[in-house]
């Protein structure tokens, strides 16, 4: 479920599918917006948090040294 880009290292679509959820299953986000979120490369933290909650998850942000 990893999709590298300059902003984050996660494939939101793969994450959602791994949870057995369809785009229409995410509560509080309309299907067209789910699609837009999953295809954007740059997202606000608030949008990621809303997406995580809609998937039944809790978002956690970690900072660590670059290798």
């Amino acid at each position: 479920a990893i999709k590298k880009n300059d902003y984050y290292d996660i494939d939101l679509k793969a994450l959602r599918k791994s949870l057995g959820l369809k785009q229409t299953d995410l509560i509080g986000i309309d299907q067209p917006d789910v699609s837009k979120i999953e295809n954007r490369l740059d997202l606000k933290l608030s949008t990621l948090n809303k997406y995580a909650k809609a998937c039944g998850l809790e978002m956690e942000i970690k900072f660590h040294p670059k290798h």
Side-chain angles (χ1 to χ4, degrees):
I2 302 294
K3 179 167 69 177
K4 300 260 183 186
N5 64 51
D6 291 338
Y7 302 101
Y8 55 91
D9 296 336
I10 191 157
D11 182 337
L12 295 175
K13 182 178 180 179
L15 172 66
R16 174 182 50 78
K17 286 184 170 188
S18 75
L19 297 169
L21 298 172
K22 295 180 263 178
Q23 287 183 337
T24 53
D25 293 333
L26 275 61
I27 297 171
I29 307 176
D30 294 331
Q31 184 277 326
D33 291 331
V34 172
S35 181
K36 288 176 189 174
I37 290 168
E38 290 178 346
N39 289 295
R40 296 241 6 224
L41 294 178
D42 186 10
L43 294 167
K44 292 180 181 180
L45 292 176
S46 59
T47 302
L48 282 173
N49 191 43
K50 182 177 181 178
Y51 185 92
K53 286 182 178 182
C55 288
L57 302 171
E58 183 176 304
M59 187 172 82
E60 180 178 307
I61 299 171
K62 291 184 179 185
F63 294 89
H64 54 84
K66 239 181 173 178
H67 298 290

